[in-house]
Amino acid sequence: QVQLVESGGGLVQAAGSLRLSCAASGRSFSSYDMGWFRQAPGNEREFVAFISWGGDVTHYADSVKGRFTISRENAKNTLYLQMNSLKPEDTAIYYCAAGPRDIYYNPLYTYWGQGTAVSVSS
């Protein structure tokens, strides 16, 4: 029911910024909680950020708290991740994901994008 396509990745210097976007298909974007995940070479996929279906609740991994901001524009069917003060350890493939609304704000992510690469140089 939902297709997700990430964009905005690229090469950036340490302390720089990038904004990732995730475009969703379909008419029911606001029915889903959304999240960002990342996977670095040789590492497991890790949680980065969560945003509720209405955008009023957000959660962040400790490693990105204070540097990254997740947001969404439901009218545009688009999810964003603003990444500031980037560090080399942020280098990874970043994925957006969607899951049905959850009252505990811990959804089961059932839809995933293909990923967009972020490389941060020292």
Side-chain angles (χ1 to χ4, degrees):
Q1 185 62 44
V2 178
Q3 290 186 337
L4 306 173
V5 180
E6 302 95 333
S7 62
L11 304 176
V12 65
Q13 299 177 60
S17 298
L18 283 174
R19 188 174 78 159
L20 306 183
S21 298
C22 175
S25 66
R27 300 179 179 179
S28 301
F29 182 68
S30 63
S31 297
Y32 295 91
D33 290 340
M34 301 287 294
W36 286 98
F37 294 77
R38 67 187 183 186
Q39 187 168 20
N43 293 347
E44 297 181 350
R45 183 185 297 173
E46 64 175 337
F47 167 79
V48 175
F50 162 88
I51 188 166
S52 62
W53 65 272
D56 57 322
V57 177
T58 58
H59 295 151
Y60 296 92
D62 288 341
S63 58
V64 307
K65 194 173 300 181
R67 299 187 298 120
F68 291 10
T69 302
I70 189 172
S71 62
R72 66 192 296 168
E73 293 187 71
N74 288 347
K76 297 182 179 179
N77 292 345
T78 304
L79 175 75
Y80 302 99
L81 184 68
Q82 178 66 47
M83 305 186 295
N84 298 326
S85 302
L86 283 162
K87 305 174 181 179
E89 48 262 48
D90 295 319
T91 295
I93 306 297
Y94 284 73
Y95 301 88
C96 65
R101 299 173 186 175
D102 182 72
I103 62 173
Y104 302 112
Y105 306 115
N106 186 25
L108 174 64
Y109 296 98
T110 54
Y111 300 96
W112 295 82
Q114 83 290 343
T116 186
V118 173
S119 296
V120 184
S121 61
S122 301

